[in-house]
Amino acid sequence: MKYLQPKNEFGTEKFVCTYIQPTILPFAELNDAKSCARFIAHYVVYEPLLEDTSAHEIVVVSPAQTMEWAIGDCFDCSFLLVSLLIGAGYDAFVVLGTAPEWIRLKDQSHMQCALTQQDDDDISTPWSAKLSITDESYAQKGSRNSGVHCWVLVKTGGKRDLVDGRHMFVDPSTGVFYPVGDSPYPTVLSIWNDRNCWVNIGNDSIRDDEEFDLNCVNDNRWMPVIPAAHSTPFSWVSALDLPKERFDLRYHPDGKRNIKLNKAKVELFGEDIDPQGVVSRVIKYEDTAQTIVVGCTEQFGARRKDHLMQRIRRPMENLNHEFFSSKNEMSERKEMLGLRCIKFREKTRADGLVKRLEEIGSSVTEHFLNRADKLERREIYFSLLPKDAKKSQKMSEWNRIDEYFKAPEDTSELAVASRSYLLKELKVRVAYHCEHEVLQRVDVYHKDEITKDGSRGKELLQLENASITEVKRTQTEMIRLNESKYGQEMKILVSSSSGTSSRHATGEVNPPSEDEVMDGRVIDYLSPYLGVENQGSLPKVDAMRVKQECLQDTKERLLERADVIRSKLDHEKQQYQEMAGHAEADVQFRINLLEKRLAEHESKAILKYKDLEKKLQDDIRLASLHESE
């Protein structure tokens, strides 16, 4: 059983349990089992074991070093993944056994890719949680040329359970989950976590969740290496650390990954790597040789200035479908075979417009909601201008404007149902609401007779002019939206993140040191304390006041945040005293998490306060504080 104490990167033999260092990293994505497994599979460059490698010849690198190098084999990736899963509260184990050749070589050519549809406010969710690679056809690959392999087991019944509610195997090289009873792994030799190691002394093939019951000692299945009366040695591995810059890069070393699947290819990018802000691109093909493109789905990061989240393109259908976050007044924009449709969010526009459908070259239909004038729909019909036409001739090319109004609650009133302006025929057609269409009243007015109709004629002319004005505004907006759409793809639209400089947003190497960047907008941290006219150097009295107020407000915000964490911690401790049984472990997990957050906040609060003091010290607007009397 020499594989129970493999050599580490220093050539020293260590017990397998001591290679695991449970860690909680300050990234929400790494606190979920599936997203964490995907991150490790993409972050670490996978190196297959040599074909003739045996379990006794394995050299295991510590998880801390694997995280630093971002390269490793199945053992290195498994130890790293288990360390993060245990830290996140899952009952995770490293598994040693055998696997077919296609798993050991990370062959994903038979796997499928699924991309979850975006929601309106889904931009805050990590994009990797929407991209999933599944292996539903692994049985076709078979189990030929099985060899030594290492993977991960996540059991139910711990502090946290998987959504599936059953034991799952996880391959660390791909991040794919397999149910224990339906997995491609032929044999299991042993499993271990940070507390103990269990050797399989029975049938190597395991196809049932109950066979992983380690609490009930079965002489015919599992033999613990460390007896119950003894304690496990402490881990020799240093604490795991992942800097924010490397987390954003995601794919060591150049921030890019390409994955070839069955009739699909996945391209992944780290933050700020792609100039247009793309974080994932899934290209689907009609054939296995990947020569005929069927569709392309792109997902974008949260830092695009136009807040574009997802774009779907199908070249054979001439389809281009875009989805935006709730920060944009548009929710969708779709172009297909001479049609262009834009959907707007409710209550984001003063004119109540919620949808605009354009049949390119013939008509535009606009749908409205909750307008005071009861307008529900406007249809604009026009003809194409000749190439040598002047802009002043655009009015004559509008043939007809139809407006449809909502029926009033009181049907006894004579209310307008539709109003049509026949611009070429110089007529106005007005129809009124009626229960029976046959009895509907319709009035037709000629332009040369309208002026003779007194106040009614003047009202119709005013309404026509108002409609023409809105149509002009619509035309201008359509031109602007189309120009901005194509302009966005010609220039960089990724905004800088807070504390880092964007390589593509403005071309600046360093952002302004005196400003904070929030949601793509540069905000002056002294703006709440300065008037608009006070942008130069302040008098000494005013400079002293501004500095004191800024520091005091910052201090109060930091203390308030600490109080919030402490109140939550006190609440959890009170629950811990009142609850008993299995729930205690869950509460204890939250208590440990809150205590760590409080400690991190207190240490960072001091640094933030000192950093603000330095900024104020160097701010030219407060230079009068350093002048001699």
Side-chain angles (χ1 to χ4, degrees):
M1 293 187 183
K2 189 175 180 181
Y3 66 86
L4 294 181
Q5 47 181 7
K7 292 183 179 180
N8 60 14
E9 62 266 33
F10 305 106
T12 305
E13 294 183 353
K14 297 288 184 180
F15 184 46
V16 287
C17 295
T18 63
Y19 279 83
I20 299 174
Q21 178 65 272
T23 304
I24 303 177
L25 293 176
F27 305 106
E29 184 178 344
L30 302 184
N31 291 328
D32 175 76
K34 292 192 174 181
S35 60
C36 181
R38 281 192 293 267
F39 177 83
I40 295 302
H42 296 153
Y43 174 79
V44 179
V45 177
Y46 179 70
E47 283 190 339
L49 295 173
L50 297 177
E51 188 173 354
D52 57 348
T53 301
S54 67
H56 304 282
E57 301 171 344
I58 299 298
V59 175
V60 179
V61 177
S62 68
Q65 201 63 58
T66 303
M67 184 75 81
E68 175 67 24
W69 289 345
I71 188 171
D73 55 29
C74 58
F75 283 86
D76 305 328
C77 295
S78 297
F79 279 103
L80 175 58
L81 180 57
V82 167
S83 297
L84 296 178
L85 291 179
I86 294 178
Y90 291 97
D91 194 11
F93 300 80
V94 178
V95 184
L96 174 64
T98 60
E101 183 180 36
W102 61 269
I103 280 188
R104 294 185 289 110
L105 298 180
K106 196 181 178 180
D107 179 8
Q108 298 177 265
S109 60
H110 66 289
M111 297 185 181
Q112 299 79 35
C113 177
L115 195 60
T116 305
Q117 179 64 44
Q118 296 273 15
D119 296 327
D120 286 350
D121 296 312
D122 210 18
I123 200 165
S124 60
T125 305
W127 57 267
S128 57
K130 310 179 187 75
L131 178 66
S132 60
I133 297 175
T134 58
D135 187 5
E136 299 174 356
S137 57
Y138 72 86
Q140 301 175 4
K141 301 287 288 186
S143 57
R144 295 176 302 165
N145 300 327
S146 295
V148 175
H149 191 63
C150 191
W151 64 96
V152 174
L153 166 67
V154 182
K155 291 180 58 179
T156 59
K159 297 176 183 177
R160 297 176 64 183
D161 284 341
L162 295 171
V163 178
D164 308 78
R166 51 182 176 171
H167 300 344
M168 301 288 285
F169 285 142
V170 190
D171 195 86
S173 65
T174 60
V176 176
F177 281 66
Y178 300 95
V180 167
D182 185 18
S183 71
Y185 304 105
T187 60
V188 174
L189 302 178
S190 61
I191 64 174
W192 59 84
N193 58 12
D194 58 326
R195 299 183 300 275
N196 206 339
C197 176
W198 294 264
V199 179
N200 185 3
I201 58 175
N203 182 11
D204 291 345
S205 178
I206 295 181
R207 288 291 179 264
D208 192 350
D209 288 4
E210 295 180 358
E211 296 186 67
F212 278 105
D213 185 5
L214 304 176
N215 295 323
C216 181
V217 178
N218 188 344
D219 295 336
N220 296 324
R221 170 59 70 187
W222 299 106
M223 181 182 72
V225 174
I226 302 177
H230 295 73
S231 60
T232 308
F234 291 105
S235 175
W236 60 274
V237 179
S238 57
L240 306 186
D241 181 44
L242 181 63
K244 179 68 164 56
E245 295 76 16
R246 301 198 68 170
F247 177 78
D248 291 338
L249 183 65
R250 308 187 72 89
Y251 313 109
H252 184 79
D254 59 353
K256 300 177 183 179
R257 284 287 184 276
N258 290 328
I259 305 173
K260 186 177 180 180
L261 305 174
N262 181 30
K263 296 183 179 181
K265 182 172 69 172
V266 179
E267 298 175 358
L268 303 173
F269 303 90
E271 188 174 359
D272 287 348
I273 297 300
D274 184 80
Q276 293 297 332
V278 177
V279 292
S280 73
R281 181 182 292 118
V282 180
I283 306 173
K284 295 194 175 182
Y285 300 88
E286 190 176 277
D287 56 337
T288 54
Q290 299 188 356
T291 59
I292 304 174
V293 177
V294 175
C296 175
T297 302
E298 294 174 312
Q299 285 189 277
F300 299 86
R303 285 166 50 188
R304 272 188 67 114
K305 289 183 178 179
D306 60 352
H307 307 294
L308 177 63
M309 293 194 305
Q310 187 181 77
R311 180 194 292 134
I312 300 174
R313 291 181 288 182
R314 298 191 186 119
M316 293 185 178
E317 303 174 17
N318 198 21
L319 171 68
N320 187 20
H321 200 174
E322 298 175 333
F323 299 86
F324 298 84
S325 76
S326 56
K327 295 180 181 180
N328 193 315
E329 66 174 4
M330 292 187 295
S331 60
E332 295 180 32
R333 179 167 54 196
K334 185 177 182 180
E335 295 182 17
M336 180 180 181
L337 297 176
L339 296 176
R340 183 183 292 123
C341 179
I342 299 178
K343 293 183 180 180
F344 299 89
R345 303 183 189 279
E346 295 182 16
K347 301 179 181 180
T348 58
R349 293 180 60 102
D351 58 359
L353 181 64
V354 293
K355 181 180 178 181
R356 178 184 291 134
L357 177 62
E358 178 185 0
E359 293 185 20
I360 299 175
S362 63
S363 67
V364 175
T365 303
E366 295 181 316
H367 297 263
F368 300 90
L369 192 65
N370 299 328
R371 277 182 63 122
D373 59 0
K374 306 295 183 183
L375 179 62
E376 286 189 318
R377 189 171 79 253
R378 178 189 292 123
E379 298 176 359
I380 309 165
Y381 298 91
F382 55 90
S383 57
L384 287 175
L385 288 167
K387 291 184 178 180
D388 57 348
K390 298 179 180 179
K391 292 184 178 180
S392 59
Q393 295 177 334
K394 288 185 178 180
M395 278 287 295
S396 63
E397 298 301 321
W398 295 339
N399 302 330
R400 177 172 174 168
I401 302 174
D402 293 341
E403 295 180 339
Y404 298 87
F405 299 86
K406 184 178 180 181
E409 297 179 359
D410 185 2
T411 56
S412 62
E413 297 181 4
L414 186 63
V416 176
S418 65
R419 192 181 295 120
S420 301
Y421 304 103
L422 310 178
L423 302 178
K424 282 195 172 184
E425 300 175 21
L426 302 179
K427 293 180 181 179
V428 178
R429 181 181 179 276
V430 183
Y432 298 88
H433 284 287
C434 183
E435 294 182 2
H436 304 284
E437 186 176 351
V438 178
L439 303 176
Q440 185 181 36
R441 174 182 168 181
V442 179
D443 295 337
V444 179
Y445 300 89
H446 294 270
K447 284 284 188 69
D448 53 355
E449 297 177 358
I450 284 179
T451 54
K452 303 176 184 179
D453 198 12
S455 60
R456 176 59 178 166
K458 291 181 180 179
E459 181 183 357
L460 287 174
L461 288 175
Q462 290 176 354
L463 291 172
E464 182 182 34
N465 291 332
S467 295
I468 291 175
T469 301
E470 291 201 27
V471 170
K472 286 181 179 180
R473 190 179 299 115
T474 296
Q475 185 183 44
T476 303
E477 182 181 18
M478 289 169 56
I479 294 173
R480 177 181 61 81
L481 289 175
N482 290 334
E483 288 179 349
S484 64
K485 176 184 182 301
Y486 294 106
Q488 287 165 7
E489 305 308 320
M490 299 300 295
K491 60 183 180 180
I492 306 308
L493 287 178
V494 181
S495 59
S496 300
S497 63
S498 179
T500 61
S501 61
S502 172
R503 287 185 287 269
H504 308 293
T506 60
E508 295 178 357
V509 177
N510 296 312
S513 60
E514 298 141 302
D515 296 331
E516 295 177 351
V517 180
M518 186 178 298
D519 295 334
R521 297 177 293 115
V522 180
I523 300 175
D524 184 2
Y525 63 92
L526 285 181
S527 59
Y529 312 100
L530 298 175
V532 178
E533 68 280 358
N534 292 331
Q535 295 301 320
S537 180
L538 297 176
K540 191 168 186 177
V541 176
D542 293 339
M544 180 63 70
R545 174 187 58 80
V546 168
K547 180 179 179 180
Q548 291 177 351
E549 290 180 358
C550 185
L551 290 173
Q552 183 64 27
D553 289 348
T554 302
K555 182 178 179 180
E556 291 177 357
R557 285 195 300 269
L558 294 173
L559 291 175
E560 182 180 356
R561 175 60 181 162
D563 291 339
V564 171
I565 300 176
R566 285 195 190 94
S567 63
K568 291 182 180 180
L569 181 60
D570 293 341
H571 175 71
E572 294 295 342
K573 288 182 177 180
Q574 184 178 358
Q575 275 193 331
Y576 181 78
Q577 296 175 355
E578 298 173 355
M579 301 174 70
H582 178 69
E584 269 187 17
D586 195 23
V587 176
Q588 183 62 51
F589 173 73
R590 293 198 297 270
I591 290 175
N592 294 337
L593 188 61
L594 288 171
E595 287 177 343
K596 183 176 181 179
R597 285 183 181 175
L598 181 60
E600 288 180 354
H601 173 75
E602 290 176 346
S603 60
K604 290 181 179 179
I606 298 174
L607 296 177
K608 287 181 180 179
Y609 191 82
K610 290 182 177 179
D611 182 57
L612 180 61
E613 283 186 325
K614 186 177 185 306
K615 286 182 177 181
L616 294 174
Q617 183 79 12
D618 300 335
D619 198 311
I620 58 174
R621 291 167 292 184
L622 307 181
S624 59
L625 294 175
H626 315 301
E627 296 177 356
S628 57
E629 296 292 341

